[in-house]
Structures are given as structure tokens and as C-alpha cells.
Amino acid sequence: MAEVLERVTKIIVDRLGVDESQVTLDASFKDDLGADSLDVVELVMELEDEFDMEISDEDAEKISTVGDAVNYINSHK
Amino acid sequence: MNLEGKAALVTGASRGIGREIALDLARQGANVAVNFSGSEAKANEVVDEIKALGREAFAVKCDVSNSSEVADMVKAVIDTFGKLDILVNNAGITKDNLLMRMKEEEWDDVININLKGVFLCTKAVTRQMMKQRQGRIINIASIVGVNGNPGQANYVAAKAGVIGLTKTAAKELASRNITVNAIAPGFITTDMTDKLPEEVKAEMLKQIPLSRFGEPKDIAKAVSFLASDDAAYMTGQTLHIDGGMVM
């Protein structure tokens, strides 16, 4: 769990240029981390690569917070 | 127009305008995936011509209206070339008929290949181009998509749709340095237009200020330009290449 969060956090920090302290589980990509729709699509793409999984468009649409992403990855690994 | 080392995918590249586009991209230095749906032998001829130019090429069969085939095709291109810089959505068919006589199937077939196919291929390459932070998508529309044409409701609707899709894709992808432009050819001499009756051709000629029909290379040269770094500040546009028919 912690390891997943760590890897997810690194990707978000790199991609969105936010401070690590802002990346909390309940932080919303769009509302709290300044991502636009395309940023979220790209984040999902990077998560797919990082964790070697495929996230369907339907599932990707439900990922709006850092916690959503972490939970998704943990339950689909 | 230096396309040295670029990787391109041209749909419908075995014949006509698509063939010339594939060849010209290769002349400018690009490696080219030659998509075809029916004419494998002709696609292989194009591949051989490109290889003779010293570039890499391979033929890839795919029905562009089928999303899983499109995904496989794009994967094959990326696996082979290691990247994908240029997509030319050129594949298209005609099934002409007067609106009153047009069968639902004729409508669906043309919309599926000529419009849905552009959507599917564009969607499929976007992921790679976004990662690369660089990409060129060039859609072959038609001047009839701007002006309308009796007997081609399906084709015209699809081509007008392609122009709208071009503008939207251009806006969505601009922030990732991917440009999306369309070319609207006028009357270009190909297998597709050879089928037209002589009197129809004579009538069309009267409407062309440059008073001649275009050739596939007239379109291919513009595609190579749009694919190049020289066209970096141009996106969402539709270039009319029609001898001045529609201004």
C-alpha cells in the first residue's frame, strides 16, 4: 500500500509539478492539484505503464482523487 | 522539408492519393507503414518502392472502421518503428447515390470508413504522440465536404465531419504539441475519379479556375509540408487544394 502510494505520488509530482505535501489521498486531481482533463488522461496512462496494467476508459473516468488511483491499483494488481 | 527518421502511418496507402502520400513522405526521409484493406499486392509494391528509396516500410492490413484492428495496427507500427510521429488519415470509399435512393447500408459504410475510421485511428495514436510530446495528424477530407455535392450525401457528410473532427482534435491536443490539420482535395485524378462519366468530368473542369484536374502529388506535397517542422505553427486548418474551385 505504502509503496504504491509512493510511486503514484512521484508520478503526480513529476507530471503536475506540485509539492509532495499536496499529494494526499483525498486530493482531487482537478480541484486540488491543478490538473486539466488531459492531464488526468496522461496520469492514468503513466500509471498504466508504471504498474503494468490496463485501466479501461470506464474505470479511468471514476478516478478523480489520489486515493481513487491508489485503491484502483491495489485492487487490480 | 526534412522528415529524416520520422515514423509515419498512412491509411489507404496502396492506391491513389494515399500511395503518393506514402511515397512522398519516404522521399522526405520518413519510414512509412502502408495500410491497406483489400489490395495487398499493391500495398507491397508501395513498400518495395519505399525500400528502394532507402527507407523502412511495411504493409499492414486493417479495416479502419474496426477499433480492435486499428489498435493492432498502431501497435505494430510502434513496435516496428519504436515511435509514431505522423498519422495520415487517408482511407476512404465512395458509395454514391441520390439522397432519395441511398440505402441505409450505403450511408453507414461510407460514414464508418471515412469518418469513424478517422476517429478510431486518431484516438489510437494519441497516446503515443502525447507521450512523445510531438505529433502530426493530417486528415484527408474533400472539397465536397465544404461545398456539398449532389449524389454524395454520405461522402459529403463524412468529409464535413472530418473537418469538424480536425478542429476539435487540434484544440484538444495542441497543449501536447500535436498538430491536426485537414486537406480538402478538389478533383484529383485517381481510380476513384476515373469511374466518373466523361460529361461529368467536362462539367467539373469548367468550375476549376486553373482548368485542369489535380494529381495525387499535388496533395502529397502538402501532406509532407504539414508533417514537417516547417508547419509547426499551423493547426486546425483545412487546406483547399482544388485548382481554385472553392474559395
Side-chain angles (χ1 to χ4, degrees):
Chain A
M1 174 76 193
E3 185 234 14
V4 169
L5 176 60
E6 212 171 283
R7 285 158 72 188
V8 169
T9 301
K10 184 176 182 322
I11 287 175
I12 294 169
V13 168
D14 287 351
R15 168 62 58 204
L16 300 178
V18 292
D19 196 87
E20 206 177 313
S21 63
Q22 294 173 265
V23 187
T24 57
L25 281 175
D26 56 1
S28 154
F29 293 118
K30 287 188 186 168
D31 298 334
D32 302 318
L33 302 174
D36 64 17
S37 318
L38 208 54
D39 290 325
V40 177
V41 172
E42 277 192 317
L43 275 174
V44 169
M45 275 165 40
E46 288 199 35
L47 294 175
E48 287 180 324
D49 289 344
E50 173 75 18
F51 295 96
D52 193 25
M53 52 169 40
E54 225 167 277
I55 306 176
S56 71
D57 289 349
E58 290 75 35
D59 288 339
E61 279 166 21
K62 293 181 199 134
I63 296 175
S64 64
T65 66
V66 176
D68 292 340
V70 171
N71 288 336
Y72 184 91
I73 292 159
N74 279 322
S75 58
H76 288 83
K77 275 211 295 187
Chain B
M1 288 187 289
N2 189 356
L3 302 178
E4 201 76 41
K6 302 277 189 193
L9 166 61
V10 182
T11 68
S14 63
R15 293 184 294 166
I17 293 175
R19 174 195 156 88
E20 194 55 36
I21 289 169
L23 290 172
D24 202 70
L25 289 172
R27 278 183 212 115
Q28 312 301 328
N31 298 321
V32 186
V34 175
N35 160 252
F36 68 98
S37 64
S39 27
E40 182 162 19
K42 290 201 176 278
N44 285 330
E45 283 174 27
V46 180
V47 167
D48 290 343
E49 279 195 52
I50 292 172
K51 285 183 175 166
L53 293 164
R55 312 295 172 202
E56 290 177 49
F58 68 101
V60 53
K61 184 181 169 71
C62 168
D63 168 0
V64 293
S65 64
N66 180 316
S67 58
S68 70
E69 286 187 31
V70 168
D72 289 346
M73 170 171 71
V74 169
K75 185 173 182 303
V77 177
I78 295 166
D79 286 349
T80 306
F81 294 147
K83 58 178 190 159
L84 179 47
D85 304 299
I86 301 159
L87 167 68
V88 184
N89 284 305
N90 166 78
I93 58 167
T94 55
K95 292 203 173 179
D96 299 351
N97 217 333
L98 288 174
L99 194 53
M100 287 183 65
R101 297 246 161 81
M102 187 171 287
K103 295 181 188 70
E104 193 175 338
E105 193 189 333
E106 291 171 332
W107 172 270
D108 287 343
D109 287 352
V110 170
I111 296 291
N112 281 340
I113 302 233
N114 297 16
L115 179 56
K116 185 182 167 189
V118 177
F119 159 67
L120 291 176
C121 291
T122 301
K123 185 178 173 189
V125 304
T126 301
R127 182 191 182 100
Q128 179 68 24
M129 289 184 178
M130 278 171 69
K131 273 194 204 168
Q132 292 174 189
R133 283 290 187 274
Q134 195 270 328
R136 293 274 188 272
I137 299 171
I138 299 145
N139 298 325
I140 306 303
S142 170
I143 208 67
V144 302
V146 180
N147 239 22
N149 199 27
Q152 289 197 304
N154 48 5
Y155 188 80
V156 169
K159 294 301 190 180
V162 167
I163 292 171
L165 177 57
T166 299
K167 294 176 187 177
T168 294
K171 287 186 177 180
E172 281 193 17
L173 300 172
S175 65
R176 268 52 176 181
N177 196 28
I178 299 167
T179 68
V180 189
N181 290 288
I183 289 178
F187 193 105
I188 306 295
T189 312
T190 64
D191 291 350
M192 202 189 264
T193 52
D194 282 347
K195 286 183 288 189
L196 292 169
E198 284 306 319
E199 61 267 28
V200 173
K201 288 192 206 172
E203 200 50 48
M204 293 188 82
L205 205 49
K206 285 186 200 155
Q207 294 165 35
I208 303 173
L210 286 175
S211 56
R212 65 175 177 86
F213 297 136
E215 313 235 345
K217 71 168 164 46
D218 294 317
I219 305 306
K221 287 293 173 193
V223 171
S224 290
F225 167 67
L226 289 174
S228 75
D229 291 345
D230 293 342
Y233 198 54
M234 192 171 164
T235 196
Q237 302 304 308
T238 302
L239 271 186
H240 295 184
I241 304 182
D242 61 355
M245 207 155 75
V246 175
M247 297 184 191

